[in-house]
Amino acid sequence: MCGIAGVMMRDGSTPPAAVLDKLERALLHRGPDGAGRYVAGGVGFVHRRLSVIDLKTGAQPLFGPQGTVLVANAEIYNYVELRRGLLSDVRHATASDCETILHLYNRQRAGFVQHLRGMYAFALYDPTKGNLILSRDPFGIKPLYYAETASCIAFASEPQALVAAGLVVAELEPQASRELLQLQFITGAQTAFKGVRRLLPGETLVFNGGGVVSRTIQQALPEAPPLAALDEGDALEQLDQRLMDSVQIHQRSDVPYGIFLSGGIDSRAILACMARLGTAGVRAYTASFPNTSVPDEYPSAHKAALLFGARTTRVEVTAESFWSALPSVAARMDDPTADAASVPTFILAREAAKDVKVVLCGEGGDEIFAGYSRYRRQSRPWWLAGRQRRRRGPFSGAGVLREEPTGWRDGLAESERASRIGGRSRLQIAQATDCADFLAHGLLTKLDRSLMAHGLEGRTPFLDRQIADFGFVLPKSLQIKNRRGKYLLRRWLDRQAPQDDCFARKKGFTPPYLAWLRAAGERLGPLVAADAAIDELCHPQAVERLFLSDNDRDLEAAWTLLFFALWHRQHIRGVAPDGDTLACLAGQA
């Protein structure tokens, strides 16, 4: 797991060493354990390494037959099976999981990524063809960005590295900012920076001669309708086999690992699998919000830890620690997602990184097994109160923005259209739409930046093709029952821990940020309203009113403006965070 970056010069000249130096420095936090570089034939790669598998010989770049070269931010979980099977006749130079990528490419060329089971974002250069290949895993667990400039094609694990290296200018993309305000994340390929694009989940691009010559997409979810029927007992057995297999391969590591354990179903299910696999004394890390209005997940998480023999670390998140960490979170969230849960995730990762290098996480369980309450509404026909999601954003008709936001839902609408394939149900379309954007560009971006800021790798066993191929086509009756989502997963967990309450109402991982914002609103409101980026977009008096409101919808809008102000200061104006939230905003620049 690491940070990667590089350039392919359009004129074939040697990439400037100063540019590669800046790319490497900008990604240091992603790979504190070592660095590697490749320069030849107009191509330059840099690599920062977080050592997890093959600590002795796994340094990158890696080299394959006929001079192919690879830098990868990846965990290929089925590398053991690939070496024993499809690549059994290949002589490997290292014990690295990533070396299998090179040998698969050499053997198959087209479609070689379909054999990979894991999370990855990589760059592969084939000097015999002059091809630069960029690829990202089907769920978009690992990020990859690129820019096509007058002099080169450049790529990096984070867009801020491209800015830091002087390859692109830190200029805000207006449409992206409208999406961020209304959705709290940005959809599709366009990022917040003009000229910087994301590889989409599952996308593989081939560059040659200064441009894209090939583009393919590997789908994460089956293009099929739900099964007409499936016996619940058979479904439970299949789920058991797939869950156990996924958690087992996600535990492959040469360094200590743990788990982010909440009071929810997903992380408890992963912990149950770890216990059955004989993983003794698992280190479990749980965020706690003591003496607040939101449910504190620690008691439920601690109970689960005791049931499965885990060791819990309680990480208290208070208003003081929240406001202290927020500027650093905004600084790391270069691909912005204004999810308030980023802050406790960042704090949790900071604590876990003291003990382990890897944590298993529950992201993806809601999307695959229909956990969100909105799925119950959206799966109904319109005459039974089913409706289009996110028809209005927090700023729609609020009179806060100088111009009413337009086009902000276009990206979501495109994802919805693209999800209407293979006879999928309304429920499946909602799930697939979320996987394409909300999960990939919201939740997984939050996870990646919050953890990699501390050199910590996050693994997501639910985001595995073996799990998705099964869970996504379950009959609705095994997804949603008795007004509860994730029915089959709950039934499975109830078998593992019948003394636990597996059918409790979903609470979600939400810090009490609205209450903390309400308490600090009188001080924050004028500072946010006076920020140059906010003043350009909003009526200052209307902004101050938001921060003084008792209405949760208004406060959610206020929160997004606060995050945007801190993000813009760092990533567009280049003002590094100094102090807590109030101090940063008071030092207007």
Side-chain angles (χ1 to χ4, degrees):
M1 195 48 54
C2 0
I4 64 173
V7 295
M8 172 186 269
M9 306 303 294
R10 293 186 185 274
D11 62 3
S13 61
T14 301
V19 169
L20 298 179
D21 289 343
K22 290 175 182 177
L23 287 170
E24 183 184 317
R25 283 197 298 271
L27 297 173
L28 175 62
H29 57 282
R30 297 187 72 93
D33 294 334
R37 185 171 298 195
Y38 167 84
V39 180
V43 172
F45 286 175
V46 297
H47 183 268
R48 291 295 325 186
R49 188 180 189 209
L50 179 67
S51 303
V52 174
I53 289 177
D54 187 14
L55 307 186
K56 293 183 178 180
T57 65
Q60 296 186 30
L62 293 168
F63 299 91
Q66 298 178 317
T68 52
V69 59
L70 173 83
V71 286
N73 174 23
E75 294 294 353
I76 307 303
Y77 300 122
N78 66 331
Y79 77 103
V80 174
E81 289 76 13
L82 286 170
R83 285 175 179 244
R84 291 172 180 168
L86 186 60
L87 301 175
S88 61
D89 59 336
V90 174
R91 185 169 180 264
H92 289 74
T94 75
S96 169
D97 57 302
C98 293
E99 189 182 348
T100 56
I101 299 172
L102 284 166
H103 295 299
L104 285 170
Y105 171 76
N106 183 63
R107 173 153 293 182
Q108 290 197 258
R109 296 295 195 268
F112 72 104
V113 295
Q114 295 177 10
H115 296 286
L116 300 175
R117 187 180 176 190
M119 55 181 181
Y120 57 83
F122 67 77
L124 190 156
Y125 177 56
D126 182 347
T128 64
K129 296 180 177 296
N131 286 343
L132 170 65
I133 301 169
L134 303 180
S135 188
R136 190 179 180 200
D137 68 76
F139 288 102
I141 304 168
K142 290 290 99 183
L144 193 56
Y145 303 85
Y146 69 98
E148 299 180 76
T149 76
S151 62
C152 69
I153 288 134
F155 67 90
S157 294
E158 298 179 3
Q160 60 83 20
L162 299 173
V163 174
L167 294 164
V168 294
V169 177
E171 186 176 354
L172 185 66
E173 172 62 44
Q175 177 59 23
S177 66
R178 287 190 283 270
E179 286 190 346
L180 179 64
L181 292 179
Q182 293 284 70
L183 299 173
Q184 295 195 331
F185 64 92
I186 297 167
T187 68
Q190 178 59 56
T191 70
F193 299 95
K194 280 188 177 180
V196 179
R197 296 178 69 81
R198 305 180 180 112
L199 258 74
L200 295 173
E203 187 171 36
T204 298
L205 295 178
V206 180
F207 294 88
N208 192 303
V212 177
V213 296
S214 173
R215 176 183 182 271
T216 57
I217 289 281
Q218 183 185 6
Q219 297 293 336
L221 302 171
E223 297 182 16
L227 297 172
L230 181 61
D231 177 77
E232 184 173 309
D234 291 342
L236 285 167
E237 291 304 315
Q238 289 189 51
L239 176 59
D240 184 79
Q241 293 171 12
R242 292 171 188 252
L243 268 180
M244 292 295 292
D245 177 61
S246 182
V247 172
Q248 183 174 36
I249 66 170
H250 277 74
Q251 289 187 136
R252 286 177 172 167
S253 172
D254 293 333
V255 295
Y257 56 86
I259 183 173
F260 278 179
L261 181 63
S262 71
I265 296 296
D266 303 328
S267 60
R268 282 149 64 191
I270 294 170
L271 181 61
C273 292
M274 295 173 82
R276 279 177 56 190
L277 289 165
T279 311
V282 176
R283 289 182 177 270
Y285 300 86
T286 302
S288 174
F289 308 110
N291 305 314
T292 65
S293 58
V294 302
D296 190 350
E297 294 197 324
Y298 180 75
S300 177
H302 184 59
K303 178 182 176 182
L306 291 175
L307 285 173
F308 297 115
R311 294 176 290 164
T312 52
T313 296
R314 181 177 190 171
V315 181
E316 291 193 354
V317 180
T318 64
E320 182 181 4
S321 64
F322 184 90
W323 295 126
S324 178
L326 178 57
S328 296
V329 172
R332 287 302 184 196
M333 214 65 64
D334 58 334
D335 188 355
T337 170
D339 184 348
S342 299
V343 183
T345 304
F346 180 92
I347 295 171
L348 200 62
R350 185 172 61 197
E351 185 66 29
K354 297 175 183 178
D355 308 316
V356 299
K357 276 193 171 184
V358 175
V359 287
L360 274 63
C361 310
E363 273 73 8
D366 284 308
E367 289 77 9
I368 301 300
F369 291 101
Y372 297 125
S373 59
R374 60 177 177 265
Y375 291 155
R376 300 195 291 279
R377 296 190 299 270
Q378 290 162 344
S379 63
R380 303 168 187 163
W382 66 267
W383 60 87
L384 292 177
R387 63 179 184 269
Q388 184 185 54
R389 65 175 300 218
R390 297 184 186 269
R391 292 176 301 170
R392 290 172 54 83
F395 293 95
S396 298
V400 176
L401 300 182
R402 294 186 185 276
E403 295 182 9
E404 186 68 14
T406 59
W408 61 271
R409 206 186 176 282
D410 291 352
L412 276 186
E414 177 57 35
S415 290
E416 288 170 350
R417 284 192 292 270
S419 298
R420 298 177 186 275
I421 54 177
R424 288 174 173 170
S425 66
R426 288 170 60 94
L427 172 59
Q428 286 180 310
I429 292 167
Q431 291 171 281
T433 301
D434 274 347
C435 282
D437 275 312
F438 172 63
L439 176 66
H441 307 315
L443 298 182
L444 292 175
T445 299
K446 170 197 74 177
L447 186 70
D448 175 81
R449 299 307 198 278
S450 297
L451 272 61
M452 292 306 291
H454 306 290
L456 184 67
E457 175 182 305
R459 297 184 176 183
T460 52
F462 284 107
L463 296 179
D464 177 81
R465 288 294 300 273
Q466 304 291 336
I467 301 287
D469 286 352
F470 168 74
F472 187 68
V473 297
L474 284 171
K476 183 183 173 183
S477 61
L478 294 179
Q479 294 272 38
I480 299 172
K481 183 177 286 190
N482 299 327
R483 302 179 66 184
R484 293 286 189 276
K486 292 192 283 200
Y487 171 75
L488 188 69
L489 187 60
R490 291 174 188 270
R491 283 282 291 116
W492 178 87
L493 186 58
D494 189 53
R495 283 185 169 188
Q496 316 305 311
Q499 62 271 64
D500 207 356
D501 186 2
C502 303
F503 288 90
R505 185 176 296 276
K506 177 180 173 62
K507 298 186 179 79
F509 181 59
T510 305
Y513 71 104
L514 294 182
W516 292 337
L517 192 61
R518 188 176 285 113
E522 190 172 350
R523 291 172 294 163
L524 286 171
L527 294 173
V528 173
D531 182 84
I534 300 302
D535 182 66
E536 184 178 341
L537 293 173
C538 305
H539 301 292
Q541 290 181 333
V543 171
E544 292 193 43
R545 285 198 300 270
L546 287 179
F547 280 85
L548 296 175
S549 175
D550 284 330
N551 182 279
D552 283 356
R553 181 183 174 86
D554 289 342
L555 287 170
E556 287 172 357
W559 159 259
T560 304
L561 291 178
L562 167 60
F563 177 86
F564 180 74
L566 292 169
W567 180 89
H568 194 279
R569 284 170 54 81
Q570 165 72 27
H571 296 289
I572 302 300
R573 303 206 295 274
V575 182
D578 184 17
D580 65 9
T581 298
L582 283 168
C584 285
L585 291 172
Q588 300 285 353

